[in-house]
Amino acid sequence: MPVLPLTAVGLRSTDRVGRKAAVLGDLMAAGFPVPDGHVVTADALGQALRANGLDDHASSDQVREAALPEDLSEALRRVAAEYGDVPLAVRSSATAEDLGDRSFAGQYESILGVVGAEALIEAVSAGWSSAFTARVDVYQRARGLGGSRRMAVLIQRMVPAAAAGVAFSANPVTGARDEVVISAVAGLGDALVSGAVTPDEWSVRGDAATCVSAAGEAIDAALAVQVAELARRAAGHYGEPQDIEWATDGDMLWLLQSRPITALPEPAPEPVPIPVEVPDGLWSRVSHWSTPISPLQRSLALPVLNASTGQMLAYGLAERIEFREIGGWVYISFTVPTRPEAIEAKLREIARKAERDEPGSIIAEWYESRQPDLDLRLSGLRGCALAEMGDDELIDHVRQARTLAAEAQELHFRTAGAAQFVWGEFGLACERLLGWTPVQVLQLLVGLPGKTTEPTFRLSELARLAAGLPDDGWSADLAFAKAFDRYLHEYGHRTLGADLTQPTLAEQPELVTRLIRDQLATGYDPRAEMSHQQASRDAALAEARARPAGGTEQFDRLLGRAQRAYPIRDDGAYYANAAWAMVRRGMLELGRRLAARGLLDTGDHVFFLEWDEAIAVLKAGSPVGELVTRRRGMRAWAEQHPGPPVHGAFPVGAGDGQPHLTEELRHASEVAGWVWQATRTDNVPVGGQDGLRGIGASPGRYTGVVRVITSEAEFGRLRLGDVLVCPETTPQWAVLFPSVGALVTDTGGLLSHPAIIAREYRVPAVLATREATVRLRDGETVTVDGNAGTVERS
């Protein structure tokens, strides 16, 4: 039969009716309050496709327009007649949906308020067609899944909800099993799922309910306790934590869906102390490494960083940069020559490179061959279906990604070093010829297009497509769905944090959706922004031209070089992050296989293995649970003991006197000095009790609510118009800036990424406050003055 009553299905029916319907049938049989319903079987979709000459490669439009078999149409008319004028909810129930390692949340179409036979037939076709969107295809490819479109459709009596929402039987952030987390909205729950409204948030422990935030007072404490008990009952029934959807009509609390919580952290393990061994020298904790380093990252990234950072030092006075893990955290040390002869030798090396214009050659090579090569290789890796690979093929794929990441990282440091020297030459010339400060110089460079701003600009194209659609109609619009999936495919596969444990944007489509809503709310227009930045550069250039030295051939040549070099530093980081994301994607598939074979508890525990260990486990099949447990304990200890900002002391030089500087060597020294002065963050006074002082890095004055975000994992906490307070930003943070009212950081200088990106988005910014993330709190109102470099509580 193509249509079955919900009472006739259960977990054994999963292959026929999909996980969602099978679970609801099972829960109904167990006495849970599940609304009455029916299920159109997955076999019916296959029959409809074949009857219309279609297959799994059909387009969404073709499926939507396909004629339903007569027996199915008749069955649906009988269902519609049974319910009469009662509105129905029609939802997907794909066989790959609502599983522990992939929920497909928000990927398929739900149609609410369906009344009558013709509307029901049309809704079933719409539900089917949502399985054939490009968005679902991208979601499956991002997780290395195949292209199966096997889907059933769930039809249920619609609850006239006074309030609705979701509940997690365990805290999805901390992993605490004794806490139920509830989100609630007044009315139907689709507004919550779509992100159109801000929900009330509740935390329930035992019989004690605490309102964490109340946007609309949708429920009270008594109802929160009832919802928590329902979530706990579902978790007890299935023997694992559950994510449920619920609704109340004022008299009855209904269970609408239950599925395992995806990516639920394990409960915090018992901390295992880590010996803290500090090498000689001065070691500073890397501020953008916001979490303890994972064993996988330690084995993959630290060797690459230490092997390639020398490329960035080719035009600076430092001899060596080294990264080390100290007490579970990443620290960095700079070795600077102190003997006069060593300084002279370093400057002579820089002068030789400058004489043959090595920086210019590196920049030209980047645009002509290196960047196109990276684009091509990344595209090839993104297009691979990992789930279809054998183990050896998967290992080879990850090795290719690892090789590409190492090459991209080295290129990033190489091009960044060359670009900074070119900036320094131009800045020094402006200082001598025009008497300009670094801030004035940067007005000639700000806003030049590059890969860092490209994702935000492309997001605005999605916002334009969404502008004419209802809030709940984005996924149903074919043009928007295809554009959204292209965006995730092209720009979503980038690591957001310094560690591979951080999810990519492609793994968080709901965050991208919210950023689109923010752009719509602000009316952000990248073309207008580019025009503004162009006008700012034109005005600065006119000011320079008004001076005799500003119209010289030397000035024009240096300006052209600087503008060509300016975007490269962050562009290189963009490609390095994209390559590391391919490593993450491959290792997640490897971890999934290890978990499926009982060798790891969960797939993401692969990050607690070093590279060689993970490969060995996949090949040999030996469980490593004890090793992972111990390392998880070490990470827990490191989180509790972040260590001081600085270890050790700067070594005292053994030499005395000053190096002998020829004109060429003096020029090399002064270029390096200009860059250092523009990027330095020391000698910034700390503010008083009610305020902070720092570097005014982007002009303007703004008053708003503080949102302290210390890592990329917290991007979802940012709300439109917030004052973003963070240790520092990296190029991956650029997508947030249309939503940001002002920026305050602990570190940074005039040429740092947060300064550059804030100026490009015209966001007032105060950097290098040293302690903003410690002294400011979420919810405080502050005034940020990017001209004066102050942050004052209002």
Side-chain angles (χ1 to χ4, degrees):
M1 295 177 62
V3 181
L4 300 172
L6 196 54
T7 54
V9 305
L11 296 182
R12 292 183 179 180
S13 313
T14 299
D15 188 56
R16 292 188 65 199
V17 302
R19 180 73 181 178
K20 184 185 298 178
V23 164
L24 288 177
D26 177 65
L27 290 168
M28 180 180 283
F32 282 80
V34 175
D36 297 335
H38 290 74
V39 188
V40 180
T41 67
D43 293 335
L45 170 59
Q47 293 167 4
L49 291 176
R50 291 190 293 273
N52 288 272
L54 303 174
D55 57 21
D56 283 350
H57 300 291
S59 70
S60 177
D61 283 347
Q62 288 175 318
V63 175
R64 193 172 194 132
E65 295 168 3
L68 271 62
E70 187 58 33
D71 62 334
L72 175 57
S73 297
E74 285 301 318
L76 291 175
R77 290 189 178 95
R78 288 194 294 272
V79 170
E82 179 179 334
Y83 288 102
D85 293 335
V86 175
L88 302 175
V90 179
R91 299 187 291 162
S92 68
S93 184
T95 57
E97 190 178 5
D98 288 351
L99 301 178
D101 61 345
R102 51 187 182 273
S103 69
F104 278 79
Q107 300 300 311
Y108 298 125
E109 184 78 5
S110 293
I111 303 95
L112 305 179
V114 176
V115 178
E118 296 308 314
L120 180 57
I121 291 171
E122 183 178 343
V124 169
S125 294
W128 276 348
S129 69
S130 66
F132 292 78
T133 61
R135 180 181 66 254
V136 170
D137 186 53
V138 169
Y139 183 95
Q140 291 178 319
R141 282 191 281 111
R143 287 152 181 80
L145 304 175
S148 173
R149 311 294 179 179
R150 190 167 171 77
M151 175 189 276
V153 177
L154 177 64
I155 304 166
Q156 282 182 287
R157 178 176 56 81
M158 192 169 157
V159 176
V166 298
F168 297 89
S169 68
N171 189 309
V173 177
T174 67
R177 268 55 172 180
D178 63 344
E179 179 185 13
V180 178
V181 177
I182 301 170
S183 298
V185 296
L188 298 175
D190 61 322
L192 167 62
V193 175
S194 68
V197 298
T198 300
D200 296 353
E201 301 288 349
W202 287 80
S203 169
V204 182
R205 293 180 183 270
D207 293 332
T210 302
C211 183
V212 179
S213 65
E217 298 182 353
I219 63 175
D220 58 17
L223 184 54
V225 171
Q226 292 181 46
V227 173
E229 180 56 28
L230 184 63
R232 293 190 191 110
R233 282 180 58 200
H237 182 72
Y238 289 115
E240 62 179 327
Q242 295 288 296
D243 162 10
I244 70 166
E245 293 183 17
W246 58 271
T248 178
D249 55 15
D251 297 319
M252 182 80 174
L253 179 62
W254 296 95
L255 179 58
L256 306 180
Q257 186 170 340
S258 185
R259 60 193 176 203
I261 301 177
T262 56
L264 178 66
E266 291 295 314
E270 192 68 26
V272 176
I274 303 173
V276 179
E277 300 176 358
V278 182
D280 293 338
L282 179 69
W283 296 86
S284 301
R285 202 171 75 211
V286 180
S287 57
H288 70 267
W289 221 299
S290 56
T291 61
I293 187 171
S294 66
L296 182 64
Q297 186 79 0
R298 178 181 63 221
S299 66
L300 289 177
L302 288 194
V304 170
L305 292 174
N306 286 327
S308 58
T309 48
Q311 297 285 347
M312 192 165 55
L313 302 177
Y315 309 97
L317 287 178
E319 290 180 326
R320 182 173 59 89
I321 297 178
E322 184 178 0
F323 292 87
R324 287 278 189 97
E325 178 188 359
I326 303 176
W329 294 85
V330 178
Y331 283 75
I332 187 172
S333 179
F334 293 82
T335 302
V336 179
T338 55
R339 292 178 176 273
E341 58 270 25
I343 298 173
E344 186 177 337
K346 179 66 173 174
L347 290 173
R348 190 175 296 111
E349 177 186 349
I350 296 172
R352 284 197 299 267
K353 293 175 183 293
E355 183 179 6
R356 58 178 183 264
D357 194 21
E358 183 181 271
S361 298
I362 290 173
I363 291 167
E365 181 186 35
W366 169 260
Y367 285 113
E368 292 167 7
S369 62
R370 295 293 197 171
Q371 186 177 13
D373 177 64
L374 290 173
D375 278 322
L376 183 64
R377 293 163 69 185
L378 282 168
S379 178
L381 290 173
R382 289 189 195 115
C384 294
L386 304 188
E388 300 174 6
M389 294 180 175
D391 286 354
D392 289 342
E393 190 179 3
L394 176 63
I395 291 171
D396 181 64
H397 172 88
V398 182
R399 282 190 174 128
Q400 290 181 44
R402 177 186 179 183
T403 298
L404 181 59
E407 291 181 22
Q409 193 72 60
E410 182 178 6
L411 271 173
H412 166 46
F413 288 138
R414 185 167 186 250
T415 54
Q420 288 190 168
F421 186 82
V422 171
W423 301 350
E425 282 192 312
F426 178 61
L428 184 63
C430 288
E431 180 181 293
R432 289 176 173 174
L433 299 175
L434 308 176
W436 276 14
T437 65
V439 172
Q440 292 172 297
V441 173
L442 291 171
Q443 290 176 345
L444 291 168
L445 306 177
V446 72
L448 294 167
K451 293 296 289 188
T452 301
T453 52
E454 187 176 304
T456 311
F457 285 7
R458 284 287 299 275
L459 200 65
S460 71
E461 297 175 13
L462 290 176
R464 284 198 296 274
L465 286 173
L469 301 173
D471 283 345
D472 59 354
W474 293 8
S475 61
D477 185 82
L478 183 61
F480 178 84
K482 286 184 175 179
F484 186 85
D485 295 336
R486 280 196 304 272
Y487 182 87
L488 290 184
H489 183 69
E490 293 175 16
Y491 299 106
H493 292 288
R494 290 182 295 144
T495 52
L496 294 181
D499 202 278
L500 289 173
T501 54
Q502 300 288 350
T504 64
L505 277 181
E507 298 170 60
Q508 305 175 81
E510 67 285 350
L511 174 57
V512 179
T513 300
R514 195 170 61 73
L515 293 173
I516 294 172
R517 294 187 190 282
D518 285 355
Q519 287 205 10
L520 286 171
T522 60
Y524 174 75
D525 182 355
R527 289 168 295 188
E529 290 296 319
M530 291 180 70
S531 297
H532 175 85
Q533 299 292 358
Q534 181 65 60
S536 177
R537 291 196 301 273
D538 289 346
L541 184 58
E543 183 180 345
R545 294 272 192 245
R547 306 187 183 193
T552 64
E553 182 178 339
Q554 178 193 15
F555 178 85
D556 287 344
R557 181 179 66 83
L558 292 175
L559 172 63
R561 283 165 58 89
Q563 290 186 335
R564 183 169 169 80
Y566 184 75
I568 283 184
R569 183 183 67 172
D570 286 346
D571 285 3
Y574 175 96
Y575 283 98
N577 295 329
W580 283 116
M582 292 298 97
V583 176
R584 171 181 164 84
R585 178 171 176 254
M587 293 306 295
L588 281 174
E589 171 61 21
L590 193 153
R592 186 193 65 78
R593 297 185 186 192
L594 295 181
R597 297 169 192 177
L599 304 175
L600 289 176
D601 288 341
T602 65
D604 59 1
H605 280 179
V606 73
F607 297 114
F608 291 96
L609 300 176
E610 295 188 353
W611 162 259
D612 290 338
E613 293 169 343
I615 300 303
V617 173
L618 184 65
K619 289 184 174 180
S622 303
V624 286
E626 290 185 8
L627 174 63
V628 168
T629 298
R630 181 167 62 84
R631 287 182 175 165
R632 290 181 59 237
M634 295 170 71
R635 182 183 182 89
W637 185 90
E639 289 172 341
Q640 297 173 7
H641 302 82
V646 175
H647 276 299
F650 200 82
V652 179
D656 53 17
Q658 296 294 322
H660 174 67
L661 299 183
T662 63
E663 183 177 348
E664 286 183 337
L665 298 190
R666 184 174 293 105
H667 175 73
S669 175
E670 290 173 345
V671 169
W674 187 91
V675 174
W676 179 77
Q677 286 290 342
T679 57
R680 66 183 298 189
T681 63
D682 55 351
N683 297 324
V684 176
V686 178
Q689 183 176 358
D690 293 328
L692 294 166
R693 292 191 62 83
I695 296 173
S698 181
R701 185 178 173 87
Y702 180 83
T703 299
V705 175
V706 166
R707 191 72 58 193
V708 181
I709 294 180
T710 58
S711 77
E712 293 78 6
E714 299 177 334
F715 277 5
R717 296 181 54 244
L718 184 74
R719 294 294 177 262
L720 182 63
D722 281 347
V723 174
L724 173 59
V725 179
C726 57
E728 67 175 337
T729 69
T730 57
Q732 302 95 302
W733 294 55
V735 292
L736 300 180
F737 273 74
S739 306
V740 171
L743 174 68
V744 181
T745 68
D746 290 340
T747 65
L750 290 173
L751 283 177
S752 66
H753 179 267
I756 291 170
I757 204 71
R759 287 190 293 269
E760 291 186 356
Y761 287 92
R762 290 190 286 165
V763 170
V766 176
L767 311 185
T769 63
R770 298 185 181 178
E771 53 183 13
T773 56
V774 175
R775 294 184 57 190
L776 299 179
R777 294 287 182 266
D778 277 1
E780 287 186 290
T781 300
V782 297
T783 297
V784 179
D785 191 327
N787 301 86
T790 60
V791 181
E792 299 289 341
R793 288 184 173 89
S794 300

